[in-house]
Amino acid sequence: MSDTRSTTLLIIGGGPGGYVAAIRAGQLGVPVTLVEGLHPGGTCLNIGCIPSKALIHAAQEFERAREYAQDSPLGITVQAPAIDIARTVAWKDGIVRRLTGGVQALLKKSGVQLVRGWARVLDGKTVEVDTGEGPVRIQCEHLLLAAGSEPMPLPSMPFGDKVISSTEALSPASIPRRLVVVGAGYIGLELGTVYRKLGAQVTVVEAQDRILPTYDAELTKPVAGALERMGIELCLGRKVMGLNAAGDAVRVQDATGAETALPADQVLLAIGRRPRTQGWGLENLQLDRAGNALRIDDQCRTSMRNVWAIGDIAGEPMLAHRAMAQGEMVAELVAGQRRRFAPAAIPAVCFTDPEIVTAGLAPSQAQQAGLDCTSAIFPFAANGRAMTLESTDGFVRVVARRDNHLIVGWQAVGRGVSELAAAFGQSLEMSARLEDVAGTIHAHPTLGEAVQEAALRALGQALHI
């Protein structure tokens, strides 16, 4: 006989959206149960954002050490550096354990009931969880779906053996001599860069004719230049046909139909992610869909009363911070507060080298939206802090309405620009104008000065260019 429990809010999925919703609901006194099959933190903490950034940092440090073994203008010399990849992975795993342990402590502090196991939805009020020690049936008033997403497969090249996803790529037992990355989006380029810095020969295959096709071309030029200098080979406008008969090369086809083979000891398939909607009874709810994702309104309500959806399962943008904000909102709605999800902008960061950060509208997007806008760029080549960091490629760009100078978008590309995301998002959320940013004293010397200088340039008042 199964164990039956009841709760007010039942959350399926302990990723950033799910655990934040649980913590906030607990803070508000809502009885809440969170079901998670693996470890709290979801893809982001366990096999995504955090471990990938850890490996990016390790690879950057190793590359720097190798540069110092040559002729460094800083006057630093080292003997031939080496890397113990097993120790690197152990360090990365230690960070993950500390963070997931912290999440569990926060859940406990907020009075959240954590049930370890795999959920199956029976109806909009009932879920059965396979805990490995017998089924647990949980009944609820509100059901929050936060099951996240999963790597997208390629019919001609299924996962297995030499073909890995980002999950396996984040815990390498060794570094392959030749790695072929399928997909030049942010996941493929972030991890491809890591493997190249760790010593692999890397080839990136992309069906479209440029890298990072969701970003505008001006932002991606410095990244493309850096990839070329690193020795990463780009095969753009190519269709992947699968592995060859021997399984040691990737067959690709160009626009003319000509086929070539790219030697590969390992293949990283990184063509994107899709909402995790299969295999746990979601079809029993017959919820409205938006493509593969669940359709939600501006309160994250699905088409069934008291059934909510947040994060990747609700489609793009698939960003952890979006899921967190949605989870917080849903918890407050369940607690009786009045909220809606209407952010002015959601920043997005691509942790390539150099990094890219965007918030709001790019110039072309503003034009498509019918806005008469002006834009201005301030290059890091004119920024003192960028010079001291030996990274002057890239720029900050601001987009603002021509009539009232209301800022509608920010973009930047350069080393360390991810840390500008907060300033970008805040200025958009507070409806800042060019004069607001231009008139704010920015600390010197910092990369943030480029933000002020871009606003000044848009006003025709540039000081350092």
Side-chain angles (χ1 to χ4, degrees), residues 184 189 210-227 350 352 354 356 395 413:
L189 292 189
R210 65 184 183 88
I211 64 169
L212 299 170
T214 60
Y215 292 86
D216 74 66
E218 196 168 19
L219 282 172
T220 64
K221 284 180 182 177
V223 179
L227 294 173
C350 179
T352 44
I356 296 176
F395 56 84
V413 55

Side-chain angles (χ1 to χ4, degrees), residues 18 29 92 307 314 333 347 375:
K92 177 264 297 182
V307 176
L333 287 167
S375 65

